[in-house]
Amino acid sequence: MSTITTHILDTALGRPASNVTITLDQLTNEGWHQIAKGKTDSDGRLKTLTPEPIVPGHYRLTAEIGDYFAQSNRPSLYLTAQIDFVITQTGEHFHLPYLITPNSWSTYRGS
């Protein structure tokens, strides 16, 4: 079984992005199925997205960054930032952070 956490940094302001809605979906034979949802804390972290470990499979992690930027009246090119990934074996921890600005976003696998 594996776990997933995330962290969002607003690099335009140089600070964590708090109160961002994050969803985790898994691809099944019937299509995408939401398995977890949460919001980033004041440090921009979501440590409890998968309190129970998840099995290998095809997943997507979606951050509602358009809503985050709208809270401070900043227009955003991207409304969501979606990481589409595969877990191939059990027992790994996946920390998938986002670096966001109103006009860009990126990710990497953290530790």
Side-chain angles (χ1 to χ4, degrees), residues 10 12-13 15 65-66 68-76 100-102:
D10 182 339
L13 297 180
R15 65 178 186 216
I65 62 173
Y68 164 78
F69 289 116
Q71 291 172 20
S72 58
N73 296 316
R74 293 188 289 164
S76 176
I100 64 171
T101 75

Side-chain angles (χ1 to χ4, degrees), residues 12 23 25 28 31 35 43 48 54 67 77 79-80 98 101:
T23 56
D25 301 301
T28 66
I35 61 170
D43 195 32
T48 59
I54 58 175
D67 292 343
L77 176 62
L79 301 180
T80 63
Y98 293 88
T101 75

Side-chain angles (χ1 to χ4, degrees), residues 28-108:
T28 66
N29 290 336
E30 291 79 38
W32 290 102
H33 174 69
Q34 183 178 305
I35 61 170
K37 186 175 184 174
K39 288 190 180 247
T40 56
D41 63 16
S42 61
D43 195 32
R45 297 181 183 279
L46 182 52
K47 300 176 187 175
T48 59
L49 185 62
T50 56
E52 297 295 322
I54 58 175
V55 298
H58 185 172
Y59 295 90
R60 68 180 178 197
L61 190 65
T62 305
E64 301 293 334
I65 62 173
D67 292 343
Y68 164 78
F69 289 116
Q71 291 172 20
S72 58
N73 296 316
R74 293 188 289 164
S76 176
L77 176 62
Y78 299 104
L79 301 180
T80 63
Q82 191 172 86
I83 304 169
D84 191 355
F85 63 102
V86 175
I87 295 176
T88 59
Q89 57 187 353
T90 61
E92 292 188 78
H93 172 71
F94 288 80
H95 182 64
L96 303 173
Y98 293 88
L99 303 174
I100 64 171
T101 75
N103 295 309
S104 67
W105 71 271
S106 65
T107 189
Y108 58 94

